Amino acid sequence: DRYMPSWNRYLSQKDGEGIYEMMDFKVHRLAAYFPSQKAIFKSPKKLADTIEKEDFDILHLYGLGTFSTLMVLYFSLKRKKRFPAIVVSDHTDARTHKREGVHAKFYYFFFGLTLSIFQKQIKKVITFADQSRDLLSKRFSFNKDKFEVIPLGYDQDAYKFKEKLKNTEDKFIIGYAGKIDEKKKVHDLIKAMAKTQCRDEVRLIVVGFTEDNYGKYLVNLARENNIEVEFRPLANQKQLMEFYNYINLAVFPGGISITTIEANGCGTPVLIYKSIQGLESRVENGRGVLFDTEKELVENIENYYSLYTKGEIDYHCIEQETKNSSSWKNIIGSYLKLYIQVNKNGK
């Protein structure tokens, strides 16, 4: 996994395996082979002991179709205390669950059958969009009534507009941050920039660069099209905040992720490829534009360049609109309300 070195650097700055007291929380950090939400734990016994012996009312898991979710659910059967109310979050991009073929059919049949054992215990499944709810319901054979749609939230204290960090170059700066592979279509962004009338007045910064075959292809593509591109490695949270503040426009040619909201949180408008339905809320109230085709992407880059030259991009307004719609401080209330509801019903 190309991200493992970055994950290892991140984890080296955090507390290691053990039990920690943080504010009103007791945190059990367990060692894993892969430090992600799809983790395969190195010590299943420690996981089983924690789930069996700790006193809790709600078990909140991440990902319907993951083996770690199944592992935790089965370990929960060993609890001598009452079975907890289970909430599962699945924020997987809906495109992931559109796969077809023999392997996909077996995968969904296996997880659908296995999860059916816990249908009564799983009180709610949280997702971030109506389309994701409809698709997950179909794929995993869950009733739609089980689902709660809660939009993704961002940390408004970590991602905020800082005017002093904004670009002071004599060029319009476009940025992309995220995973670098063909599915993210960074090559489409470079090709579109080459077709803009303002191409000589625009510079692109790509954060997340890796020196693999696709990365080398992007470097050559930029050189062949005579587009000024700066490639940077993966950034930490502070560096990302500074990056989103520095650029004038963030473009996501491969679709959505939480990064589109974080860019808005820093006051930066976004262009997002319309990879799924129901994305209008991501760009409403002047926070950006959705696009379908290369022609639309070219036109929108030129439109934002024009706004930039006239000083008409309202970074402060974009930051405030994003706080109102997507701040974690606002969204957390929806989670707390749901916790209270499932805990009450569970008893």
Side-chain angles (χ1 to χ4, degrees):
D1 189 317
R2 71 183 70 182
Y3 281 90
M4 282 304 294
S6 297
W7 269 113
N8 288 334
R9 285 198 299 273
Y10 169 78
L11 290 176
S12 68
Q13 302 169 7
K14 301 292 181 181
D15 296 320
E17 182 181 6
I19 301 175
Y20 302 90
E21 298 287 343
M22 298 180 182
M23 298 181 289
D24 295 328
F25 303 96
K26 181 190 288 185
V27 178
H28 295 256
R29 190 180 297 281
L30 304 179
Y33 287 107
F34 301 105
S36 72
Q37 66 182 38
K38 298 177 181 177
I40 301 173
F41 295 100
K42 286 183 178 178
S43 179
K45 187 176 185 306
K46 284 187 179 180
L47 177 63
D49 289 344
T50 302
I51 294 170
E52 182 181 353
K53 298 174 182 178
E54 286 295 318
D55 186 22
F56 56 89
D57 298 303
I58 296 173
L59 186 58
H60 191 149
L61 305 174
Y62 287 86
L64 277 174
T66 69
F67 286 100
S68 58
T69 291
L70 295 186
M71 187 189 305
V72 173
L73 288 173
Y74 278 117
F75 285 156
S76 300
L77 293 174
K78 296 176 60 181
R79 281 175 60 86
K80 295 177 182 178
K81 301 175 181 179
R82 74 177 181 87
F83 202 92
I86 296 173
V87 175
V88 184
S89 289
D90 197 309
H91 290 158
T92 311
D93 189 326
R95 291 171 297 173
T96 301
H97 292 297
K98 287 185 177 179
R99 296 170 182 167
E100 300 294 345
V102 176
H103 290 96
K105 288 181 179 178
F106 175 78
Y107 169 84
Y108 290 112
F109 172 78
F110 170 77
F111 274 96
L113 182 64
T114 309
L115 289 170
S116 67
I117 299 171
F118 299 93
Q119 280 272 13
K120 288 186 177 180
Q121 286 78 20
I122 298 176
K123 304 300 181 183
K124 285 291 180 181
V125 179
I126 301 171
T127 188
F128 66 92
D130 291 338
Q131 189 187 32
S132 296
R133 175 200 60 201
D134 297 342
L135 193 55
L136 291 169
S137 172
K138 177 182 176 182
R139 284 300 203 180
F140 294 102
S141 302
F142 272 77
N143 192 303
K144 287 185 182 180
D145 293 340
K146 286 266 188 187
F147 286 81
E148 189 83 13
V149 177
I150 300 178
L152 294 177
Y154 79 106
D155 184 351
Q156 73 175 61
D157 294 325
Y159 295 94
K160 59 179 68 174
F161 176 54
K162 294 189 176 182
E163 192 165 3
K164 64 180 181 181
L165 296 177
K166 188 55 71 180
N167 157 40
T168 56
E169 299 180 36
D170 58 356
K171 288 198 172 185
F172 180 63
I173 307 299
I174 295 175
Y176 167 83
K179 191 174 183 179
I180 308 296
D181 64 22
E182 288 190 56
K183 292 180 181 178
K184 297 301 182 181
K185 300 182 180 181
V186 181
H187 56 280
D188 284 351
L189 173 56
I190 295 175
K191 290 177 181 178
M193 288 178 62
K195 296 182 179 180
T196 61
Q197 295 180 4
C198 56
R199 52 172 295 158
D200 294 331
E201 309 302 324
V202 177
R203 187 162 78 88
L204 173 64
I205 302 176
V206 175
V207 174
F209 181 71
T210 51
E211 294 184 6
D212 55 10
N213 289 336
Y214 183 66
K216 292 174 183 177
Y217 165 66
L218 293 179
V219 172
N220 291 330
L221 183 66
R223 186 181 298 120
E224 290 168 3
N225 286 276
N226 196 28
I227 296 297
E228 186 178 352
V229 184
E230 178 186 347
F231 294 98
R232 299 180 184 177
L234 282 166
N236 60 34
Q237 188 180 69
K238 181 175 182 295
Q239 291 168 332
L240 269 180
M241 181 276 293
E242 293 172 347
F243 165 73
Y244 287 135
N245 269 281
Y246 185 76
I247 63 178
N248 304 109
L249 176 67
V251 181
F252 299 90
I256 59 167
S257 71
I258 188 65
T259 50
T260 67
I261 300 175
E262 292 168 347
N264 274 163
C266 295
T268 300
V270 297
L271 299 181
I272 306 173
Y273 173 62
K274 197 173 181 180
S275 56
I276 61 173
Q277 298 297 316
L279 293 180
E280 287 74 18
S281 62
R282 289 288 186 100
V283 295
E284 63 187 6
N285 298 324
R287 291 186 291 146
V289 179
L290 301 178
F291 67 90
D292 273 315
T293 65
E294 181 186 71
K295 180 182 178 182
E296 290 178 354
L297 176 56
V298 170
E299 290 174 350
N300 282 307
I301 290 174
E302 291 176 343
N303 289 340
Y304 270 102
Y305 173 73
S306 176
L307 292 173
Y308 164 75
T309 58
K310 297 174 185 177
E312 294 180 358
I313 299 178
D314 194 336
Y315 303 110
H316 287 285
C317 181
I318 293 172
E319 178 196 30
Q320 189 58 52
E321 289 292 343
T322 308
K323 280 184 183 180
N324 294 341
S325 65
S326 305
S327 168
W328 176 246
K329 289 183 178 180
N330 296 331
I331 291 172
I332 194 171
S334 300
Y335 277 89
L336 295 176
K337 183 178 179 181
L338 184 139
Y339 287 150
I340 293 169
Q341 175 191 338
V342 299
N343 188 47
K344 181 180 179 181
N345 293 343
K347 291 180 179 178

